[in-house]
Amino acid sequence: MKVSTGIRNLDRVMDGGFVERSFNLVYGGGGTGKTLFTMNFLISGAESGKNVLYVTLEETWEDITRKLPPGIKERLNAVSKRFHYLDFGSMRPVLGREILKSDVLQEAISSSVVVNNVSLVGIDGIAPLTLYYDDDRRIRNAIFDLSQSLKSYGVTTVFTSEEIEGRSRYGVEEFVSDSVIRLIYTGRSRRLQVLKTRGSGFIGGLHGFEITNDGLQVYPRVMFSEGKREIRAEAIGISKLDTMIGEVYSGDVILLAGPPGTGKYLFGVQFIKNVCSSGKRALFVSFEDNLPNIKRRLMEMGEASKNCKLVHLDPGDMDLYKLMWEIRDRARDVSRMVIHGINVFSEREEYSDFVHSLFSYTRNEGISTLVTYTIPNIIGTNVIADKHVVNVANHIVKLLFAEINGELKRVLVILKAQSPNHERGLVEYRLGKRGVIIVGKIEEMEGIMSGTPTKQMEIQKRVQKFFK
Ligand SMILES: Nc1ncnc2c1ncn2[C@@H]1O[C@H](COP(=O)(O)OP(=O)(O)OP(=O)(O)O)[C@@H](O)[C@H]1O
Ligand SMILES: [Mg+2]
């Protein structure tokens, strides 16, 4: 049997939550959210009808409630009848350290558990135990006795400890705990890691984690999908390009990489316009500040954009784990999606997880996705340095500028496609009011990928001249 952690999305990471009648450690540095974790666990439990007990060993109850985010405080007030507490933080200065002696502590906690019919307990900050016990073995024994006593009452407990040099304070708490959760603040983002669960599986690695006004929220690094995928042939919706690429199926990822000015977003607009006109829904997520242009282009193409949801998300400091869950929420009812400007995140530590989780989700859900990637150099040989998107893409189209007969032209080349018969030559395209127009294949030119092509005939002439 499992007991919910009460923290949004954490049960998914922990295979349903805590094991019933277990003793669970949450540790982390100062301000990482240990107290709020404990409060959230207990408040959610009380909301589901359980009687709960909060034990503060370090801070006073008054200090703790004063610092609570307003939304959490409101939730606490609403369940105050089922929420009990023991304020050792206030008692200790009056009664002395004796009250931290294992049997005194146990006695106080178990009385409250029995009297109030408590099934969830939170013990916040075990550091004061060192005031009474001076060596690791004795602390370990004290914690072990406490855990056994609570388990014997059928209680599920969360207790918190501080992190010192990457480990929980005494390094002994882990051994007596059925599960261990570590909270991290990197200075930029919050992370949560499950290090152990006894008797069940969990999703390893660092997950996104956020403290909000009304509770904690985990953004697992892996996204779960309902796997609704139905495989059907699709058309990108750009005349002639579909024939050149060959087969595209629902759930495919199409990567469009090119320098600024090659009209990547216009390809995207056309990609979603096609399905929106037929009554299905599509989502355009842009990390560039160009929503008015996207809207205008859609209208020029005769699409009222009723079925096309357009969102601009400011990449700023946004955590990628949170971002992928946000995209997932918005993409629930869509059959097609554009992710415009994914390159802004390519230097982020969590980028690889982001790309793999997001696109395995879209693939499983059958959401066909066009991803645009801006390559910095306008002219010349550009490589797509991003191995992550390249690996997940089913089709890769590269856009470039090339100087042909003294004119700068827009050219595309299909670098990868599912179909073995895809077009391998270089194709000229134009950007018009009604979208992307494929002009046709460029014949008799070489070296276009470098940006400075030469006519094949001239090369042949030069070769012939050389051998004369
Ligand atoms: N309304 C809020 N929205 C977002 N973050 C908040 C809000 N209120 C508090 N926080 C953050 O919560 C953190 C404090 O959480 P908490 O008190 O649970 O940490 P802790 O690990 O128990 O700290 P300590 O080691 O000092 O006991 C702080 O980093 C604070 O910035
Ligand atoms: Mg605290």
Side-chain angles (χ1 to χ4, degrees), residues 3 46 48 98 108 117 120 157 193 251 265 275 300 303 306 314 328 339 350 391 393 395 397 424:
V3 172
S48 72
E98 293 297 310
N117 191 22
L120 306 182
T157 307
Q193 185 177 23
Y265 85 94
V275 292
E300 282 170 359
E303 177 56 51
K306 174 167 62 59
D314 184 358
R328 181 187 191 266
I339 300 286
E350 67 274 27
N391 282 344
H395 316 271
V397 178
R424 281 162 211 281

Side-chain angles (χ1 to χ4, degrees), residues 84-115:
H84 308 274
Y85 64 88
L86 283 173
D87 186 359
F88 284 92
S90 297
M91 286 190 271
R92 192 164 38 104
V94 186
L95 303 174
R97 67 189 188 115
E98 293 297 310
I99 58 162
L100 293 171
K101 205 175 153 215
S102 165
D103 44 2
V104 179
L105 203 62
Q106 260 182 56
E107 177 63 34
I109 296 176
S110 35
S111 313
S112 179
V113 164
V114 172
V115 170

Side-chain angles (χ1 to χ4, degrees), residues 189-256:
S189 4
R190 293 187 189 279
R191 295 283 177 258
L192 176 146
Q193 185 177 23
V194 179
L195 293 168
K196 146 179 160 181
T197 57
R198 206 170 269 165
S200 74
F202 62 91
I203 305 173
L206 300 177
H207 304 285
F209 166 55
E210 191 185 29
I211 296 174
T212 72
N213 176 46
D214 65 347
L216 309 188
Q217 165 97 44
V218 176
Y219 300 103
R221 51 179 279 269
V222 184
M223 286 205 288
F224 319 96
S225 132
E226 280 95 54
K228 291 183 302 211
R229 185 181 185 186
E230 161 207 332
I231 302 175
R232 34 166 220 279
E234 299 253 302
I236 292 178
I238 297 173
S239 166
K240 293 188 195 158
L241 184 60
D242 275 300
T243 335
M244 291 173 163
I245 286 197
E247 290 145 4
V248 175
Y249 291 102
S250 47
D252 278 4
V253 176
I254 305 155
L255 169 63
L256 196 64

Side-chain angles (χ1 to χ4, degrees), residues 34-35 59 124:
K34 301 178 294 293
T35 296
E59 284 182 275
D124 195 13

Side-chain angles (χ1 to χ4, degrees), residues 148-184:
Q148 291 309 102
S149 142
L150 284 165
K151 283 182 190 179
S152 72
Y153 289 106
V155 162
T156 307
T157 307
V158 161
F159 77 107
T160 73
S161 183
E162 261 172 68
E163 172 171 331
I164 289 173
E165 291 164 0
R167 301 201 57 198
S168 58
R169 188 175 183 128
Y170 312 107
V172 295
E173 305 94 308
E174 284 105 324
F175 300 107
V176 298
S177 314
D178 296 293
S179 78
V180 178
I181 296 172
R182 181 184 179 203
L183 304 182
I184 302 158

Side-chain angles (χ1 to χ4, degrees), residues 236-303:
I236 292 178
I238 297 173
S239 166
K240 293 188 195 158
L241 184 60
D242 275 300
T243 335
M244 291 173 163
I245 286 197
E247 290 145 4
V248 175
Y249 291 102
S250 47
D252 278 4
V253 176
I254 305 155
L255 169 63
L256 196 64
T262 42
K264 292 180 291 300
Y265 85 94
L266 209 51
F267 280 84
V269 170
Q270 222 154 327
F271 181 69
I272 57 165
K273 188 243 159 203
N274 216 33
V275 292
C276 292
S277 312
S278 69
K280 288 190 186 143
R281 297 179 69 83
L283 173 68
F284 193 117
V285 180
S286 179
F287 298 113
E288 290 180 15
D289 190 9
N290 59 351
L291 276 203
N293 281 350
I294 296 168
K295 214 172 254 173
R296 184 169 52 81
R297 289 303 203 158
L298 266 174
M299 282 166 74
E300 282 170 359
M301 289 180 206
E303 177 56 51

